[in-house]
Amino acid sequence: MMARRVQFTTRIGVIATTVGSAVGLGNIWRFPYEAGAHGGGAFMLCYLFFIFIIGIPVISAEFVMGRAAHSGIMGAFRYHSGNHRWDWVSYASILAAILILSFYSVVAGWTMEYTFDSVTGHLGNVADSARHAEFDSFISGWRPVWWMIAFLAINAAVLLGGVQKGIERMSNILMPLLFVILLVFCVNSLLMPAAGEGLAFLFKPDFSAITPSVVLGAMGQAFFSLSIGLGCMMTYASYFSDSTPIVKTATTTALLDTLVAVLAGIIIFPAVFSFGMQSEAGPKLVFEVLPSIFYRLPGGSVWSAMFFFLLVLASLTSTISMSEIFIAFLCDEFKIARRKATVILTLLAMVLGSLCALSFGPISDITIFGKTIFNAFDYASSNIILPIGGMVISLFVGWRLDRHTLLSQLASNGRLPSWIAPCIIISLRYIAPICILAVFLAS
Ligand code: TRP
């Protein structure tokens, strides 16, 4: 038997950590820009479909695999299959985790710059009409590289604090604070002149706008936002105790994650329409819109500083979870020390992150399949590797996993209503894999 693994200490700690992984730039930065670029309501509808029909079963599947095996993705596949034939899934996941960590840290670096600029008052001095040019000149220079390096250094420092002390304690405090501040901004946005137009854009689906690329984008976003498909939730579940209820934790995580994304949409789109901005602005959208929102309120710098600071921290709880995939892999498979694994990961991400950061400026002409390095990393990982990973995990857990293990893990001490496990199994065996395959074929 393997040595007893460290475990999370409390139930709230489990939720705060899984939600901490799920909630991040994916909700507040990526969701609004993807929705904006893909027609608003049409995207939202597909996104919600994927979260509930595929997302919750796949998170549950990851939890089942991770907790039963007490190990990260590679160990979990080997434990449940009894052989090494599934190792390729883990290699793909680890590759995607590094790609995501690299571009994610760049955006987290942008939020650090904006926190800093709010505190110094610089952001408040920029006229609304100049925000676009201001942001463009920032991301096309070298400053994002330094911020990305600073962010990854902080990420490494937290990782070295270990599972309980570092990750759990921080998530417990910061996640609730983020919710409260989002609610304040929501109310503020709902009072804007074009609030109705913004909400209609987000919530009224135009069915003719549902194209294969909208559906693929929504599926990628659902996977990205829930942190599934890479074994990230699997790795966290390896730290769960036997009494942690799997389905309940999965559902709570999905609901809270979706809530944050929807709140971010409610904050952004009324403002986009009220200020006459472009909803298709892409990765820059949120950075150009949000400051204009904050500086309309009394005490603008304080709101702005607080929001961007919380966003840095929300990003940190997410990057820690991505990093765990790689670190658990190195520690479990190569038996190297956590400290050494953290250093290897951090250096690698800093190199790749620099390429992503510079792909908005100095090396913007280097493209991979017609996309800049930043966009290529995002697209390849979110729209391709995550859904494939999700498909493999659902097929594996649905068809291959020992029936008894699956049912007893899902039931977690028998507190699960009897109709839920069959629904999850049907989704894992048929619905999720078929939907994912169909979306791939269509696009
Ligand atoms: N879900 C996080 C967000 O929305 C990002 C994230 C963390 C992630 N861990 C992941 C995405 C693992 C994919 C896989 O910001």
Side-chain angles (χ1 to χ4, degrees):
M1 263 325 276
M2 57 196 91
R4 214 174 146 237
R5 207 172 171 88
V6 261
Q7 291 184 344
F8 292 127
T9 37
T10 62
R11 177 86 183 90
I12 288 289
V14 168
I15 294 286
T17 320
T18 53
V19 174
S21 164
V23 172
L25 293 170
N27 308 63
I28 293 165
W29 158 75
R30 199 174 188 280
F31 174 78
Y33 95 65
E34 284 280 329
H38 288 118
F43 180 88
M44 178 77 147
L45 190 70
C46 300
Y47 170 73
L48 292 178
F49 172 84
F50 288 121
I51 292 276
F52 290 99
I53 304 299
I54 301 185
I56 294 178
V58 175
I59 309 183
S60 307
E62 289 208 14
F63 284 171
V64 164
M65 280 185 77
R67 182 172 67 184
H70 294 293
S71 101
I73 182 160
M74 176 148 316
F77 269 101
R78 287 183 186 167
Y79 173 90
H80 293 290
S81 68
N83 57 48
H84 289 211
R85 248 175 273 145
W86 298 83
D87 286 3
W88 61 275
V89 183
S90 313
Y91 292 122
S93 302
I94 288 151
L95 170 73
I98 292 178
L99 295 184
I100 296 178
L101 181 62
S102 312
F103 75 79
Y104 202 96
S105 301
V106 172
V107 182
W110 297 349
T111 62
M112 286 174 82
E113 160 93 6
Y114 269 49
T115 310
F116 181 76
D117 285 351
S118 309
V119 173
T120 61
H122 172 73
L123 205 57
N125 294 334
V126 177
D128 278 352
S129 55
R131 293 213 186 277
H132 175 77
E134 172 79 12
F135 187 66
D136 257 354
S137 88
F138 161 62
I139 57 171
S140 54
W142 279 80
R143 280 169 71 89
V145 177
W146 316 134
W147 284 116
M148 178 268 310
I149 289 175
F151 179 82
L152 282 169
I154 299 172
N155 183 55
V158 179
L159 285 166
L160 292 174
V163 174
Q164 281 160 336
K165 276 188 248 128
I167 307 176
E168 190 173 349
R169 205 177 286 165
M170 197 174 67
S171 310
N172 282 349
I173 307 169
L174 299 172
M175 287 297 120
L177 193 59
L178 183 69
F179 271 112
V180 174
I181 185 165
L182 282 173
L183 285 177
V184 174
F185 290 132
C186 258
V187 173
N188 171 52
S189 280
L190 290 174
L191 296 174
M192 287 182 182
E197 219 177 309
L199 294 181
F201 175 76
L202 190 60
F203 292 109
K204 258 213 201 128
D206 165 7
F207 290 96
S208 66
I210 302 184
T211 61
S213 92
V214 169
V215 181
L216 178 65
M219 184 167 80
Q221 174 62 24
F223 277 83
F224 186 91
S225 192
L226 293 177
S227 311
I228 52 178
L230 290 192
C232 183
M233 290 296 180
M234 205 181 291
T235 307
Y236 268 10
S238 71
Y239 306 119
F240 285 3
S241 77
D242 289 336
S243 61
T244 303
I246 295 240
V247 181
K248 202 164 157 195
T249 307
T251 311
T252 313
T253 306
L255 287 177
L256 290 175
D257 183 64
T258 307
L259 181 66
V260 175
V262 172
L263 289 179
I266 297 177
I267 294 172
I268 300 287
F269 290 106
V272 167
F273 285 90
S274 300
F275 307 153
M277 291 167 154
Q278 290 298 320
S279 61
E280 299 94 354
K284 301 172 185 173
L285 177 72
V286 170
F287 286 88
E288 293 173 4
V289 178
L290 284 175
S292 308
I293 302 180
F294 304 151
Y295 284 96
R296 232 150 267 245
L297 291 166
S301 305
V302 178
W303 287 116
S304 178
M306 199 154 72
F307 183 83
F308 283 116
F309 182 62
L310 283 174
L311 202 48
V312 174
L313 295 170
S315 312
L316 202 51
T317 56
S318 298
T319 50
I320 287 163
S321 74
M322 290 166 212
S323 311
E324 276 291 323
I325 305 173
F326 189 84
I327 291 175
F329 165 73
L330 288 185
C331 294
D332 291 348
E333 300 311 316
F334 298 104
K335 307 285 173 249
I336 68 172
R338 201 179 160 82
R339 181 182 289 271
K340 204 162 162 196
T342 307
V343 172
I344 296 175
L345 170 75
T346 304
L347 293 178
L348 205 58
M350 282 178 180
V351 173
L352 293 174
S354 304
L355 297 178
C356 291
L358 296 174
S359 75
F360 285 94
I363 56 171
S364 60
D365 47 342
I366 300 181
T367 57
I368 307 173
F369 292 115
K371 295 183 186 303
T372 62
I373 296 176
F374 181 99
N375 288 333
F377 278 22
D378 184 357
Y379 190 89
S381 49
S382 317
N383 288 5
I384 301 173
I385 304 182
L386 294 186
I388 292 181
M391 183 156 79
V392 173
I393 291 169
S394 46
L395 288 170
F396 185 87
V397 173
W399 294 99
R400 183 74 206 271
L401 206 76
D402 169 59
R403 235 337 148 77
H404 174 74
T405 309
L406 174 57
L407 291 174
S408 67
Q409 285 291 336
L410 282 177
S412 320
N413 299 342
R415 275 175 278 125
L416 189 74
S418 60
W419 57 273
I420 294 185
C423 288
I424 292 198
I425 293 173
I426 290 174
S427 173
L428 293 176
R429 288 190 152 193
Y430 308 101
I431 305 176
I434 292 174
C435 285
I436 297 170
L437 194 67
V439 175
F440 274 129
L441 294 181
S443 50

